[in-house]
């Protein structure tokens, strides 16, 4: 199967969206995101992704790959981190658990338990946060954009490549 990519306007609530399996347990909400961008449950089947947009749309591109990208592009992004996930139910689903607005991400079928690497990129979180109730440009496009790359890979620790926006700094500082 060749790499494939699609774009969607993702509705977010409460400054986050999820990538989840149908039988996933929520990450512990009492603990702040350890990297200011995303946190995962211990089972590896749900990740909460923090946004600067409290309620509204985030333009998102999802790239499903057959293998890892050759390099990590951090130049056009404020935050870049990746996490391992696996799905035994009907996941992965992407969107808001609160509204139930969840899109199915169709990963290639595999035999046995397959782990996937999800690399999340974000920009515009600070602009969206500062905009409050109107996190869009004058033409209506969202101030915040995310890019998600997904490929099969063995389970590995969360990796942060870039953590520079103020939204993430505030979250990381709240841990101390």
């Amino acid at each position: 199967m060749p790499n494939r990519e699609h774009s969607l306007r993702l509705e977010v609530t409460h400054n986050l969206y999820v990538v989840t399996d149908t039988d996933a347990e929520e990450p512990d909400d009492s603990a702040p995101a350890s990297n200011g961008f995303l946190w995962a449950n211990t089972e590896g089947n749900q990740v909460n992704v923090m946004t600067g947009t409290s309620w509204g749309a985030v333009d998102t591109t999802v790239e499903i790959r057959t293998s890892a990208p050759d390099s990590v592009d951090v130049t056009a992004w404020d935050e870049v981190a990746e996490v391992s996930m696996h799905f035994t139910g009907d996941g992965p689903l992407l969107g808001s658990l609160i509204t139930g607005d969840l899109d199915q991400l169709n990963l290639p079928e595999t035999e046995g338990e397959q782990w996937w690497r999800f690399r999340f990129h974000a920009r515009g979180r600070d602009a969206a946060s500062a905009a409050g109730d109107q996190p869009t440009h004058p033409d209506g496009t969202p101030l915040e954009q995310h890019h998600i790359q997904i490929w099969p890979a063995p389970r590995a620790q969360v990796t942060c490549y870039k953590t520079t926006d103020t939204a993430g700094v505030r979250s990381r500082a709240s841990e101390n």
Side-chain angles (χ1 to χ4, degrees):
M1 179 188 108
N3 294 339
R4 60 180 197 227
E5 184 174 297
H6 70 279
S7 298
L8 62 134
R9 188 154 285 168
L10 185 63
E11 292 297 321
V12 302
T13 59
H14 295 86
N15 291 93
L16 68 87
Y17 63 87
V18 299
V19 177
T20 188
D21 204 352
T22 51
D23 57 356
E25 295 288 327
E26 283 270 338
D28 181 2
D29 283 343
S30 66
S34 63
N35 61 27
F37 184 27
L38 48 97
W39 76 91
N41 65 8
T42 55
E43 294 81 15
N45 59 6
Q46 184 167 319
V47 173
N48 290 355
V49 182
M50 302 304 299
T51 62
T53 302
S54 56
W55 300 87
V58 172
D59 277 343
T60 306
T61 304
V62 178
E63 179 185 358
I64 300 173
R65 304 178 50 85
T66 57
S67 62
D70 292 334
S71 61
V72 180
D73 175 18
V74 298
T75 56
W77 303 98
D78 302 321
E79 301 280 318
V80 181
E82 63 185 45
V83 63
S84 293
M85 298 189 76
H86 77 99
F87 308 96
T88 58
D90 294 330
L93 303 169
L94 170 70
S96 171
L97 289 175
I98 293 169
T99 65
D101 184 20
L102 296 164
D103 290 305
Q104 178 80 45
L105 297 177
N106 294 312
L107 299 180
E109 300 248 351
T110 61
E111 295 202 21
E113 183 174 288
Q114 174 66 59
W115 282 88
W116 298 90
R117 200 67 174 161
F118 281 68
R119 183 177 295 155
F120 295 90
H121 307 72
R123 64 176 165 235
R125 292 193 323 159
D126 290 345
S129 179
D133 291 341
Q134 299 297 322
T136 60
H137 292 284
D139 67 359
T141 60
L143 292 171
E144 186 170 354
Q145 298 89 40
H146 286 225
H147 180 70
I148 306 168
Q149 295 174 307
I150 308 166
W151 65 92
R155 188 174 194 179
Q157 295 294 317
V158 173
T159 302
C160 295
Y161 294 102
K162 187 175 184 182
T163 54
T164 59
D165 67 17
T166 303
V169 169
R170 280 193 307 265
S171 180
R172 287 184 291 279
S174 70
E175 289 184 340
N176 299 329

